[in-house]
Amino acid sequence: MASGKSTLGGALARAIPGLSFVDLDDAVEAEAGMTVAEIFAAEGEAGFRRRESAVLRAVSVPGAIVACGGGTPCDPANMDFMLARGTVVLLEASVGIIADRLLEAPAGKRPLIDAYRDDRDALLEHIAAMLAGRAKHYSRAHARFDADDLDTADGISRSVRRFAEAFGLPAPQL
């Protein structure tokens, strides 16, 4: 959550011909005709996760960069699917940067953190605990990528170049 998946994925798709980008949360919202917050309110997290798993399978096509939600790989069937389908890259950002990015989103956009909006220390603890709880799932990724430098246009460009080089993608057209 807020590691920069949508920022980096979208930038890669714009900079490298032949790649497309799918934000899984956006695709789930389009399929459901509801926002993520509305799905959580109506169906709970379990309902959202069912929808997310189905949409993940529908959008995972060759050449697609899929930015999945932070909880997506915690379902072993989802992670198995992603590992078999393509290269799974864990974007790692520091807890403080994740907190800053989460707090920039409007209330209701990130339902799992809304209760922590007024207490940054509690939010930092929540993020750290969430990451620790998900670590065994995230450790299955094929690779890791430092995503701290995605908050400026220059940082995004540097990250696109580094990512393309690290993963053998064509040179980006920035």
Coordinates of all heavy atoms in Angstrom, one line a residue, residues 69-148:
G69 N -2.9 -4.6 -5.2 CA -2.9 -4.0 -3.9 C -2.0 -4.8 -2.9 O -1.6 -5.9 -3.2
G70 N -1.7 -4.1 -1.8 CA -0.7 -4.7 -0.9 C -1.2 -6.0 -0.3 O -0.4 -6.9 0.1
G71 N -2.5 -6.3 -0.3 CA -3.0 -7.5 0.3 C -3.2 -8.6 -0.8 O -3.3 -9.8 -0.4
T72 N -3.1 -8.3 -2.0 CA -3.3 -9.3 -3.1 C -2.4 -10.5 -3.0 O -2.8 -11.6 -3.0 CB -3.1 -8.6 -4.5 OG1 -3.9 -7.5 -4.6 CG2 -3.5 -9.6 -5.6
P73 N -1.1 -10.3 -2.8 CA -0.2 -11.5 -2.7 C -0.3 -12.3 -1.4 O 0.3 -13.4 -1.3 CB 1.2 -10.9 -2.8 CG 1.1 -9.5 -2.6 CD -0.3 -9.1 -2.8
C74 N -1.1 -11.8 -0.4 CA -1.3 -12.5 0.8 C -2.2 -13.7 0.6 O -2.2 -14.6 1.5 CB -1.8 -11.6 1.9 SG -0.6 -10.3 2.3
D75 N -2.9 -13.8 -0.5 CA -3.7 -15.0 -0.8 C -2.7 -15.9 -1.6 O -2.3 -15.5 -2.7 CB -4.9 -14.6 -1.7 CG -5.7 -15.8 -2.1 OD1 -5.2 -16.9 -2.2 OD2 -6.9 -15.6 -2.5
P76 N -2.4 -17.0 -1.0 CA -1.4 -17.9 -1.7 C -1.8 -18.2 -3.1 O -0.9 -18.3 -4.0 CB -1.3 -19.1 -0.8 CG -1.7 -18.7 0.6 CD -2.8 -17.6 0.3
A77 N -3.0 -18.4 -3.4 CA -3.4 -18.7 -4.8 C -3.1 -17.5 -5.7 O -2.7 -17.7 -6.9 CB -4.9 -19.0 -4.8
N78 N -3.3 -16.3 -5.2 CA -3.0 -15.1 -6.0 C -1.5 -15.1 -6.3 O -1.0 -14.8 -7.4 CB -3.4 -13.8 -5.3 CG -4.9 -13.6 -5.4 OD1 -5.6 -14.1 -6.2 ND2 -5.4 -12.7 -4.5
M79 N -0.7 -15.3 -5.2 CA 0.8 -15.2 -5.4 C 1.2 -16.3 -6.3 O 2.1 -16.1 -7.2 CB 1.5 -15.2 -4.0 CG 2.9 -15.0 -4.1 SD 3.3 -13.4 -4.9 CE 4.5 -12.8 -3.7
D80 N 0.7 -17.5 -6.2 CA 1.1 -18.6 -7.1 C 0.8 -18.2 -8.5 O 1.6 -18.5 -9.4 CB 0.4 -19.9 -6.7 CG 0.8 -20.5 -5.4 OD1 1.9 -20.1 -4.9 OD2 0.1 -21.4 -4.9
F81 N -0.4 -17.7 -8.7 CA -0.8 -17.2 -10.1 C 0.2 -16.2 -10.6 O 0.7 -16.3 -11.7 CB -2.2 -16.7 -10.1 CG -2.6 -16.1 -11.4 CD1 -3.1 -16.9 -12.4 CD2 -2.6 -14.7 -11.6 CE1 -3.5 -16.3 -13.6 CE2 -3.0 -14.1 -12.8 CZ -3.4 -14.9 -13.8
M82 N 0.5 -15.2 -9.8 CA 1.4 -14.1 -10.3 C 2.8 -14.6 -10.6 O 3.4 -14.3 -11.6 CB 1.4 -13.0 -9.2 CG 0.1 -12.2 -9.1 SD 0.2 -10.7 -8.1 CE 0.6 -11.4 -6.5
L83 N 3.3 -15.5 -9.7 CA 4.6 -16.0 -9.9 C 4.7 -16.9 -11.2 O 5.7 -16.9 -11.9 CB 5.1 -16.9 -8.7 CG 5.3 -16.1 -7.4 CD1 5.4 -17.0 -6.2 CD2 6.6 -15.2 -7.6
A84 N 3.6 -17.6 -11.5 CA 3.6 -18.4 -12.7 C 3.4 -17.6 -14.0 O 3.8 -18.0 -15.1 CB 2.5 -19.5 -12.6
R85 N 2.8 -16.5 -13.8 CA 2.3 -15.6 -15.0 C 3.4 -14.7 -15.4 O 3.4 -14.3 -16.6 CB 1.0 -14.9 -14.6 CG 0.3 -14.3 -15.7 CD -0.3 -15.3 -16.5 NE -1.2 -14.6 -17.4 CZ -1.9 -15.3 -18.3 NH1 -1.9 -16.6 -18.4 NH2 -2.7 -14.6 -19.1
G86 N 4.2 -14.2 -14.5 CA 5.2 -13.2 -14.9 C 6.2 -12.9 -13.8 O 6.3 -13.7 -12.9
T87 N 6.9 -11.8 -13.9 CA 7.9 -11.5 -12.9 C 7.2 -10.6 -11.8 O 6.6 -9.6 -12.1 CB 9.1 -10.6 -13.5 OG1 9.7 -11.4 -14.6 CG2 10.1 -10.3 -12.5
V88 N 7.3 -11.1 -10.6 CA 6.7 -10.4 -9.5 C 7.8 -9.6 -8.8 O 8.8 -10.1 -8.4 CB 6.1 -11.4 -8.5 CG1 5.5 -10.6 -7.3 CG2 5.0 -12.2 -9.2
V89 N 7.6 -8.3 -8.8 CA 8.6 -7.4 -8.2 C 8.0 -6.7 -7.0 O 6.9 -6.0 -7.1 CB 9.1 -6.3 -9.2 CG1 10.1 -5.4 -8.5 CG2 9.7 -7.0 -10.4
L90 N 8.6 -6.8 -5.8 CA 8.2 -6.2 -4.6 C 8.8 -4.8 -4.6 O 10.0 -4.6 -4.6 CB 8.6 -6.9 -3.4 CG 8.5 -6.3 -2.0 CD1 7.0 -6.1 -1.7 CD2 9.1 -7.1 -0.9
L91 N 7.9 -3.8 -4.6 CA 8.4 -2.4 -4.4 C 8.5 -2.1 -2.9 O 7.5 -2.2 -2.2 CB 7.5 -1.4 -5.1 CG 7.3 -1.5 -6.6 CD1 6.5 -0.3 -7.1 CD2 8.6 -1.6 -7.3
E92 N 9.7 -1.7 -2.5 CA 9.9 -1.5 -1.1 C 10.1 0.0 -0.9 O 11.0 0.7 -1.5 CB 11.2 -2.2 -0.6 CG 11.0 -3.7 -0.6 CD 12.2 -4.5 -0.1 OE1 13.3 -4.2 -0.6 OE2 12.0 -5.3 0.8
A93 N 9.3 0.6 0.1 CA 9.5 2.0 0.5 C 9.6 2.0 2.0 O 9.0 1.1 2.7 CB 8.3 2.8 0.0
S94 N 10.2 3.0 2.5 CA 10.3 3.1 4.0 C 9.0 3.4 4.6 O 8.1 3.9 3.9 CB 11.3 4.2 4.3 OG 10.8 5.5 4.0
V95 N 8.8 3.0 5.8 CA 7.5 3.2 6.6 C 7.1 4.7 6.6 O 6.0 5.0 6.4 CB 7.6 2.6 8.0 CG1 6.4 2.9 8.8 CG2 7.8 1.1 7.9
G96 N 8.1 5.6 6.8 CA 7.8 7.0 6.8 C 7.3 7.5 5.5 O 6.3 8.3 5.5
I97 N 7.9 7.1 4.4 CA 7.4 7.5 3.1 C 6.0 6.9 2.8 O 5.2 7.6 2.2 CB 8.5 7.1 2.0 CG1 9.7 8.1 2.2 CG2 7.9 7.2 0.6 CD1 10.8 7.8 1.3
I98 N 5.8 5.7 3.2 CA 4.5 5.1 3.0 C 3.5 5.9 3.7 O 2.4 6.2 3.2 CB 4.5 3.6 3.4 CG1 5.3 2.7 2.4 CG2 3.1 3.0 3.5 CD1 5.5 1.3 2.8
A99 N 3.7 6.2 5.0 CA 2.8 7.0 5.8 C 2.5 8.3 5.1 O 1.3 8.7 5.0 CB 3.3 7.2 7.2
D100 N 3.5 9.0 4.6 CA 3.3 10.3 4.0 C 2.4 10.2 2.7 O 1.5 11.0 2.5 CB 4.7 10.9 3.5 CG 5.5 11.4 4.7 OD1 5.0 11.5 5.8 OD2 6.7 11.5 4.5
R101 N 2.7 9.1 2.0 CA 1.9 8.9 0.8 C 0.4 8.6 1.1 O -0.5 9.0 0.5 CB 2.5 7.8 -0.1 CG 3.8 8.2 -0.7 CD 4.5 7.0 -1.4 NE 5.8 7.4 -2.0 CZ 6.6 6.5 -2.4 NH1 6.4 5.2 -2.4 NH2 7.8 6.9 -2.9
L102 N 0.2 7.7 2.1 CA -1.1 7.4 2.6 C -1.9 8.6 3.0 O -3.1 8.8 2.7 CB -1.1 6.3 3.7 CG -0.7 4.9 3.2 CD1 -0.4 4.1 4.5 CD2 -1.7 4.3 2.3
L103 N -1.2 9.5 3.8 CA -1.9 10.7 4.3 C -2.2 11.7 3.2 O -3.1 12.6 3.4 CB -1.1 11.3 5.4 CG -1.0 10.4 6.7 CD1 0.0 11.0 7.7 CD2 -2.4 10.2 7.3
E104 N -1.6 11.6 2.1 CA -1.9 12.5 1.0 C -3.2 12.1 0.3 O -3.9 13.0 -0.3 CB -0.8 12.5 -0.1 CG 0.5 13.2 0.4 CD 1.6 13.0 -0.6 OE1 1.4 12.4 -1.7 OE2 2.7 13.4 -0.3
A105 N -3.6 10.9 0.4 CA -4.8 10.4 -0.2 C -6.0 10.9 0.6 O -6.0 11.0 1.8 CB -4.9 8.9 -0.3
P106 N -7.1 11.3 -0.1 CA -8.3 11.7 0.6 C -8.9 10.6 1.5 O -8.8 9.5 1.2 CB -9.3 12.1 -0.5 CG -8.7 11.5 -1.8 CD -7.3 11.2 -1.6
A107 N -9.5 11.1 2.6 CA -10.2 10.1 3.5 C -11.2 9.3 2.7 O -11.9 9.8 1.7 CB -10.9 10.9 4.6
G108 N -11.2 8.0 3.0 CA -12.1 7.1 2.3 C -11.4 6.4 1.1 O -11.9 5.3 0.7
K109 N -10.4 6.9 0.6 CA -9.7 6.3 -0.5 C -8.9 5.1 -0.1 O -8.7 4.1 -0.8 CB -8.7 7.3 -1.2 CG -8.0 6.8 -2.4 CD -8.9 6.5 -3.6 CE -8.0 6.1 -4.8 NZ -8.8 5.5 -5.8
R110 N -8.4 5.1 1.2 CA -7.6 4.0 1.7 C -8.3 3.5 3.0 O -7.9 3.8 4.1 CB -6.2 4.5 2.1 CG -5.4 5.1 1.0 CD -4.8 4.1 0.1 NE -3.9 4.6 -0.8 CZ -3.0 3.9 -1.5 NH1 -3.0 2.6 -1.4 NH2 -2.2 4.5 -2.4
P111 N -9.3 2.6 2.9 CA -10.1 2.3 4.0 C -9.4 1.6 5.1 O -9.7 1.7 6.3 CB -11.2 1.3 3.4 CG -11.0 1.2 2.0 CD -9.8 2.1 1.6
L112 N -8.3 0.9 4.8 CA -7.6 0.2 5.9 C -6.8 1.1 6.8 O -6.3 0.7 7.9 CB -6.6 -0.9 5.3 CG -7.3 -2.0 4.6 CD1 -6.3 -3.0 4.0 CD2 -8.2 -2.8 5.6
I113 N -6.6 2.4 6.4 CA -5.8 3.3 7.3 C -6.6 4.5 7.8 O -6.1 5.3 8.5 CB -4.5 3.8 6.6 CG1 -4.8 4.7 5.4 CG2 -3.6 2.6 6.2 CD1 -4.7 6.1 5.6
D114 N -7.9 4.6 7.4 CA -8.7 5.8 7.8 C -8.7 6.0 9.3 O -8.7 7.1 9.8 CB -10.1 5.7 7.2 CG -10.1 6.2 5.8 OD1 -9.2 6.8 5.3 OD2 -11.2 5.9 5.1
A115 N -8.7 4.9 10.1 CA -8.8 5.0 11.5 C -7.5 5.7 12.1 O -7.5 6.1 13.3 CB -9.0 3.7 12.2
Y116 N -6.4 5.7 11.3 CA -5.1 6.2 11.8 C -4.8 7.6 11.3 O -3.7 8.1 11.6 CB -4.0 5.3 11.4 CG -4.2 3.9 11.9 CD1 -4.8 2.9 11.1 CD2 -3.9 3.5 13.2 CE1 -5.1 1.6 11.5 CE2 -4.1 2.2 13.7 CZ -4.7 1.3 12.8 OH -4.9 0.0 13.3
R117 N -5.7 8.3 10.6 CA -5.4 9.6 10.0 C -5.0 10.7 10.9 O -4.2 11.5 10.6 CB -6.6 10.1 9.2 CG -6.8 9.3 7.9 CD -7.8 10.0 7.0 NE -7.6 9.5 5.7 CZ -6.6 9.9 4.8 NH1 -5.8 10.9 5.2 NH2 -6.5 9.4 3.6
D118 N -5.5 10.6 12.1 CA -5.2 11.7 13.1 C -4.1 11.4 14.1 O -3.8 12.1 15.0 CB -6.5 12.1 13.9 CG -7.5 12.6 13.0 OD1 -7.2 13.3 12.0 OD2 -8.7 12.4 13.3
D119 N -3.4 10.2 13.9 CA -2.4 9.8 14.8 C -1.2 9.2 14.0 O -1.2 8.0 13.7 CB -2.9 8.8 15.8 CG -1.9 8.5 16.9 OD1 -0.7 8.7 16.7 OD2 -2.4 7.9 17.9
R120 N -0.3 10.0 13.6 CA 0.8 9.5 12.7 C 1.6 8.4 13.4 O 2.0 7.4 12.7 CB 1.8 10.7 12.3 CG 2.9 10.2 11.4 CD 3.7 11.4 10.9 NE 4.9 11.0 10.2 CZ 4.9 10.6 9.0 NH1 3.8 10.6 8.2 NH2 6.1 10.2 8.4
D121 N 1.9 8.5 14.7 CA 2.6 7.4 15.3 C 1.9 6.1 15.3 O 2.5 5.1 15.0 CB 2.9 7.8 16.8 CG 3.9 8.9 16.9 OD1 4.7 9.1 16.0 OD2 3.9 9.6 18.0
A122 N 0.6 6.1 15.5 CA -0.2 4.9 15.4 C -0.2 4.4 13.9 O -0.1 3.2 13.7 CB -1.6 5.2 15.9
L123 N -0.2 5.3 13.0 CA -0.2 4.9 11.6 C 1.1 4.2 11.3 O 1.2 3.2 10.6 CB -0.4 6.1 10.6 CG -0.3 5.8 9.1 CD1 -1.3 4.8 8.7 CD2 -0.4 7.1 8.4
L124 N 2.3 4.8 11.7 CA 3.6 4.2 11.5 C 3.6 2.8 12.1 O 4.1 1.9 11.5 CB 4.7 5.1 12.1 CG 4.9 6.4 11.4 CD1 5.8 7.3 12.3 CD2 5.4 6.3 10.0
E125 N 3.1 2.6 13.3 CA 3.1 1.3 14.0 C 2.2 0.4 13.2 O 2.6 -0.8 13.0 CB 2.5 1.4 15.4 CG 3.5 2.1 16.3 CD 2.9 2.2 17.7 OE1 2.0 1.5 18.1 OE2 3.4 3.1 18.5
H126 N 1.0 0.8 12.7 CA 0.1 0.0 11.9 C 0.8 -0.5 10.6 O 0.7 -1.6 10.2 CB -1.2 0.8 11.6 CG -2.1 0.0 10.7 ND1 -2.8 -1.1 11.2 CD2 -2.5 0.2 9.4 CE1 -3.6 -1.5 10.2 NE2 -3.4 -0.8 9.1
I127 N 1.5 0.4 9.9 CA 2.2 0.1 8.7 C 3.3 -0.9 8.9 O 3.4 -1.9 8.2 CB 2.8 1.4 8.0 CG1 1.7 2.3 7.5 CG2 3.7 1.0 6.8 CD1 2.1 3.7 7.1
A128 N 4.1 -0.7 10.0 CA 5.1 -1.6 10.3 C 4.6 -3.0 10.6 O 5.1 -4.0 10.2 CB 6.0 -1.1 11.5
A129 N 3.5 -3.0 11.4 CA 2.9 -4.3 11.7 C 2.3 -5.0 10.5 O 2.4 -6.2 10.3 CB 1.8 -4.1 12.8
M130 N 1.7 -4.2 9.6 CA 1.1 -4.8 8.4 C 2.2 -5.4 7.5 O 2.1 -6.5 7.0 CB 0.3 -3.7 7.6 CG -0.5 -4.2 6.5 SD -1.4 -2.9 5.6 CE -2.7 -2.7 6.8
L131 N 3.3 -4.6 7.4 CA 4.4 -5.2 6.6 C 5.0 -6.4 7.2 O 5.3 -7.4 6.5 CB 5.5 -4.1 6.4 CG 5.1 -2.9 5.5 CD1 6.2 -1.8 5.6 CD2 4.9 -3.4 4.1
A132 N 5.1 -6.4 8.5 CA 5.7 -7.6 9.2 C 4.8 -8.8 9.0 O 5.2 -9.9 8.7 CB 5.9 -7.3 10.7
G133 N 3.5 -8.6 9.1 CA 2.5 -9.6 8.9 C 2.4 -10.2 7.5 O 2.1 -11.3 7.2
R134 N 2.8 -9.3 6.5 CA 2.8 -9.7 5.1 C 4.1 -10.2 4.6 O 4.2 -10.6 3.4 CB 2.3 -8.6 4.3 CG 0.8 -8.2 4.5 CD 0.4 -7.0 3.8 NE -1.1 -6.8 3.9 CZ -1.7 -5.8 3.3 NH1 -1.1 -4.9 2.6 NH2 -3.0 -5.7 3.5
A135 N 5.2 -10.1 5.4 CA 6.5 -10.3 4.9 C 6.7 -11.7 4.3 O 7.4 -11.9 3.3 CB 7.5 -10.1 6.1
K136 N 6.1 -12.7 4.9 CA 6.3 -14.1 4.4 C 5.7 -14.2 3.0 O 6.2 -15.0 2.2 CB 5.7 -15.1 5.3 CG 4.2 -15.2 5.4 CD 3.7 -16.3 6.3 CE 2.2 -16.3 6.3 NZ 1.7 -17.4 7.1
H137 N 4.6 -13.5 2.7 CA 4.0 -13.5 1.4 C 4.9 -12.7 0.4 O 5.2 -13.1 -0.7 CB 2.6 -12.9 1.4 CG 1.7 -13.6 2.4 ND1 1.3 -14.9 2.2 CD2 1.2 -13.2 3.6 CE1 0.5 -15.3 3.2 NE2 0.5 -14.3 4.1
Y138 N 5.3 -11.5 0.8 CA 6.1 -10.6 0.0 C 7.5 -11.3 -0.3 O 8.0 -11.0 -1.4 CB 6.3 -9.3 0.7 CG 5.1 -8.4 0.8 CD1 5.2 -7.2 1.4 CD2 3.8 -8.8 0.3 CE1 4.1 -6.3 1.5 CE2 2.7 -8.0 0.4 CZ 2.9 -6.7 1.0 OH 1.8 -5.9 1.1
S139 N 8.0 -12.1 0.6 CA 9.3 -12.7 0.4 C 9.3 -13.6 -0.8 O 10.4 -14.0 -1.3 CB 9.8 -13.4 1.6 OG 9.0 -14.6 1.9
R140 N 8.2 -14.0 -1.3 CA 8.1 -14.9 -2.4 C 8.3 -14.2 -3.8 O 8.5 -14.9 -4.8 CB 6.7 -15.6 -2.4 CG 6.5 -16.6 -1.2 CD 5.2 -17.3 -1.3 NE 5.1 -18.1 -2.5 CZ 4.0 -18.6 -3.0 NH1 2.8 -18.2 -2.5 NH2 4.0 -19.4 -4.1
A141 N 8.3 -12.9 -3.8 CA 8.5 -12.2 -5.0 C 9.8 -12.6 -5.7 O 10.8 -12.9 -5.0 CB 8.5 -10.7 -4.8
H142 N 9.8 -12.5 -7.0 CA 11.1 -12.8 -7.7 C 12.2 -11.8 -7.4 O 13.3 -12.2 -7.5 CB 10.8 -12.8 -9.2 CG 9.9 -13.9 -9.7 ND1 8.7 -13.6 -10.3 CD2 10.0 -15.2 -9.8 CE1 8.1 -14.7 -10.6 NE2 8.9 -15.7 -10.3
A143 N 11.8 -10.6 -7.2 CA 12.8 -9.5 -7.0 C 12.2 -8.4 -6.2 O 11.0 -8.3 -5.9 CB 13.2 -8.9 -8.4
R144 N 13.1 -7.5 -5.7 CA 12.8 -6.3 -4.9 C 13.3 -5.1 -5.6 O 14.3 -5.2 -6.3 CB 13.4 -6.4 -3.5 CG 12.9 -7.6 -2.8 CD 13.7 -7.8 -1.5 NE 13.3 -8.9 -0.7 CZ 12.3 -8.9 0.2 NH1 11.7 -7.8 0.5 NH2 11.9 -10.0 0.8
F145 N 12.6 -4.0 -5.4 CA 13.0 -2.7 -6.0 C 12.8 -1.6 -5.0 O 11.7 -1.5 -4.5 CB 12.3 -2.5 -7.3 CG 12.7 -1.3 -8.1 CD1 13.9 -1.3 -8.9 CD2 12.1 -0.1 -8.0 CE1 14.3 -0.2 -9.6 CE2 12.5 1.0 -8.7 CZ 13.6 1.0 -9.5
D146 N 13.8 -0.7 -4.8 CA 13.7 0.4 -3.9 C 12.8 1.5 -4.5 O 13.0 2.0 -5.6 CB 15.0 1.0 -3.6 CG 15.0 2.2 -2.7 OD1 13.9 2.7 -2.4 OD2 16.1 2.6 -2.2
A147 N 11.7 1.8 -3.8 CA 10.6 2.7 -4.4 C 10.5 4.0 -3.6 O 9.5 4.6 -3.6 CB 9.3 2.0 -4.5
D148 N 11.6 4.3 -2.8 CA 11.5 5.6 -2.1 C 11.6 6.8 -2.9 O 11.1 7.9 -2.5 CB 12.7 5.6 -1.0 CG 12.3 4.9 0.3 OD1 11.2 4.5 0.5 OD2 13.3 4.7 1.1

